[in-house]
Amino acid sequence: MFVAGNFLSAVANVLDIVLEFYKWVVIIAALLSWVNPDPYNPIVQFLRKGTEPVFYPIRRAMGGYGLGIDLSPLVVIVVIIFLQSFLVTSLRQAAMQMH
């Protein structure tokens, strides 16, 4: 049973790292949206390709609310924090119970 516990612990650790990395990608993409970066820059293209598929459905669902502010990065960050707090913690606790 300890093998399953170790596997679950590893999954929790990798998921936490991936979520933390993506949170920073979202933050950087949001900060870049305040300036007008070169759209042909490979880093800007990477950030847009990595965030737009997530931002677009949220923007469409929110409808903008007439604020003139894109709140989709904030929603994504809140979801990531929730996943880190709930899912990763739950996986770690389940792994500890298997040991």
Side-chain angles (χ1 to χ4, degrees):
M1 199 61 138
F2 72 92
V3 174
N6 288 342
F7 178 76
L8 218 52
S9 180
V11 168
N13 289 337
V14 169
L15 183 61
D16 193 30
I17 291 168
V18 168
L19 289 171
E20 189 67 28
F21 174 76
Y22 194 70
K23 182 170 53 173
W24 281 104
V25 168
V26 168
I27 290 169
I28 293 167
L31 291 174
L32 278 178
S33 72
W34 294 349
V35 297
N36 197 7
D38 177 19
Y40 299 107
N41 184 316
I43 296 171
V44 174
Q45 288 179 351
F46 168 77
L47 291 171
R48 288 206 174 126
K49 287 179 184 176
T51 56
E52 281 305 313
V54 177
F55 290 167
Y56 180 73
I58 296 170
R59 282 188 200 122
R60 196 175 68 221
M62 292 178 67
Y65 293 111
L67 298 173
I69 298 172
D70 183 13
L71 296 176
S72 58
L74 181 62
V75 172
V76 171
I77 290 171
V78 168
V79 169
I80 290 171
I81 291 170
F82 172 78
L83 289 173
Q84 285 179 311
S85 297
F86 174 72
L87 185 60
V88 173
T89 304
S90 297
L91 287 172
R92 285 185 177 144
Q93 288 176 351
M96 289 301 293
Q97 289 179 353
M98 289 182 175
H99 283 130

